[in-house]
Structures are given as C-alpha cells and as structure tokens.
Amino acid sequence: MPTVELEVTDHIAAVTINRPQQRNALSPEVLILLADIWDRVASDADIRVAMITGAGETAFCAGADLGLLIPLITGDREPVDDFDRAYLADPGVGQKALLRTFDPGKPVIAAVNGTAIAGGLELMLACDLRVAADGARLGLQEAKWGLFPLGGATARLPREIPFAPAMELLLTGNLIDAGRAHALGLVNHVVPQWEVVSYARHLAGVIAANGPVAVQAIRASARAGLGRPTAEALDLELEIGMPIFATDDAREGPRAFMEKRKPHFEGR
C-alpha cells in the first residue's frame, strides 16, 4: 500500500496519509508523494478542491518521523532507498509537501481525524478549511525536542489566532483539544470522529459545485490581501476579480438562476 493515497471523484481530490501504525508521521516517502500530489492538484483542471486526512482513527499526522526523517536531515543516518535519496537531493520538497512554499491554487480542506502535531498541525494551517474530530488534540511540540517548526507555524499561527495563545502553543509545546482549537478559530467545525471525512467531503462537494474559476479567484484574492493595507487589498481584489466577469462561467451562473436550474460550470 502506498504511504499516501489519492482518489479523484466528482472534481474532488481525496488525499490520505496512510501510515496509521506510525500515526501518519512524515517520512521522506510521504513528503515526496505529497509534493507530487499537490502538483497533480494544481495542474489537473478536473480537480476543483482537495481534502486531506490521515488513515485510522487516532492521528491526522504526528509530524516528522523522528526515526526516519529527522536523522536523515541531521546526517545521523545514511539514505537507504530512492525516497531518502530524492529527499536529500531536494530538501525543499518537504516544504512543498506541507504547502509552505507551494500553493496548489485551489481550496484544500483538512479532515483532522485525530491528533495533529508539529508538521501535522502546520499542514492543517496551510489548508483553507479545517474539520476536526471531537477527540483530536493539536499542538506544536518541536521545542520539547530541541527542534524548530519550519513548516510555517511561526509565520502563520500568530496571524490566525491572538498572539498570546499562539505563543503559548509555540513555546510550551502543550497540546490543546478540538474545542479549544475551535474557540480560537483554528478549525471551522468539530464533529464526531466517524463523521470527519464525510463532513469534509460535504464541504468539498459544495465548493466543487460552485464556479471553479470564481472560487480560485476568490481564494487568491483573500490570500493576497492578508496583511496588506485595506486600500492595497481592494486594488488587488479588482485586479483579480474583474476578469471573472468575462468568463463563460460568469454568463452561465446568472442564466441558470433565471432558468431556475443548477448551473453547469466548465471552468472557463
């Protein structure tokens, strides 16, 4: 079985990290395969939204594999297979896999079916929407092991939640439960564990049914405006949004509304 699985149906790319016995920890193989999958999500016009989860019922992703990945990075072990060698040949592939340096240009939903720690939480932070299991625990434990959260946490977390709780998570390494994460605004929904994937797929289906060109532009505008002065963000909104009104989808949507039917968007 591959350590990362991809299934594309109904314009939705469902990605599953498949190392349940290792709490879906990030090995060199997982990172290489994830990076390839994000390339597919970005380039495949049939894919309108992606969702990512972990196999099993206990962990979304426990972060870096401390027995495989970190010793390879520090030089404490030699490469033993093609995935190890590919990772060493392109260390930036890990940042791409965690969506730190790569934007697939389409919405990504995290179905946090269990514990999300360190790189697992950073992967969640890179996603646009997050659905968490009611028993999930989340945190950044790098400091406990003398490591640094290089997957984007120090840049993203203080921008997403208030400074004080962000710093507490970063500096203590303590975990929080899904309810606290929801109260802080880190996750959109908290649902029973068995419902996480189906709820995330429901959200993905709602997004996939919308005009894909409009969705991608709305997402791009919202992300581009983060941290910018309002006037500059409004200028970007015009720059990104106005071309949408010249698309076939922009004609199809109002036409379908007037004809009282579902629109048939073709993404152009």
Side-chain angles (χ1 to χ4, degrees):
M1 296 289 289
T3 57
V4 184
E5 298 178 344
L6 171 66
E7 179 183 351
V8 180
T9 55
D10 300 324
H11 304 297
I12 300 168
V15 183
T16 304
I17 303 174
N18 188 27
R19 298 184 75 213
Q21 300 306 314
Q22 295 79 28
R23 299 174 62 79
N24 299 314
L26 301 167
S27 65
E29 179 179 354
V30 168
L31 294 172
I32 295 292
L33 295 178
L34 265 180
D36 288 344
I37 283 172
W38 297 133
D39 276 332
R40 165 81 184 277
V41 170
S43 62
D44 189 339
D46 187 53
I47 295 174
R48 298 181 180 179
V49 60
M51 51 180 285
I52 183 165
T53 192
E57 300 179 354
T58 60
F60 171 68
C61 175
D65 190 315
L66 298 184
L68 289 178
L69 181 62
I70 299 301
L72 185 68
I73 293 172
T74 62
D76 211 30
R77 78 171 180 89
E78 295 295 318
V80 298
D81 60 22
D82 288 343
F83 290 111
D84 285 355
R85 286 183 280 273
Y87 183 87
L88 289 178
D90 181 14
V93 74
Q95 304 300 319
K96 180 177 181 178
L98 293 180
L99 297 176
R100 183 181 188 273
T101 58
F102 182 78
D103 182 0
K106 298 168 185 178
V108 182
I109 302 172
V112 185
N113 56 303
T115 301
I117 296 176
L121 181 59
E122 291 178 301
L123 179 58
M124 187 200 83
L125 289 174
C127 296
D128 300 286
L129 280 72
R130 301 98 183 239
V131 179
D134 51 10
R137 290 169 62 78
L138 302 88
L140 296 153
Q141 295 195 310
E142 282 88 346
K144 287 185 178 294
W145 311 115
L147 302 172
F148 187 99
L150 271 177
T154 63
R156 286 176 169 147
L157 194 63
R159 287 170 167 79
E160 293 203 10
I161 65 175
F163 181 78
M167 295 308 294
E168 183 174 348
L169 280 169
L170 286 164
L171 298 178
T172 66
N174 292 339
L175 303 182
I176 59 173
D177 61 26
R180 175 63 172 156
H182 184 262
L184 287 171
L186 271 178
V187 300
N188 298 81
H189 304 279
V190 178
V191 300
Q193 197 280 333
W194 57 267
E195 195 178 338
V196 170
V197 173
S198 62
Y199 198 93
R201 181 173 286 278
H202 163 71
L203 290 174
V206 172
I207 294 171
N210 293 337
V213 179
V215 164
Q216 291 167 34
I218 291 166
R219 178 182 179 274
S221 180
R223 284 177 165 247
L226 285 173
R228 298 177 185 267
T230 301
E232 187 177 338
L234 288 170
D235 287 342
L236 281 169
E237 183 182 70
L238 283 176
E239 179 183 335
I240 295 169
M242 283 302 296
I244 301 305
F245 290 87
T247 65
D248 290 343
D249 282 358
R251 288 187 283 274
E252 165 63 9
R255 187 183 301 124
F257 176 82
M258 295 303 296
E259 295 173 0
K260 296 181 173 54
R261 60 175 175 81
K262 288 186 178 180
H264 178 67
F265 295 119
E266 296 187 359
R268 61 173 189 265

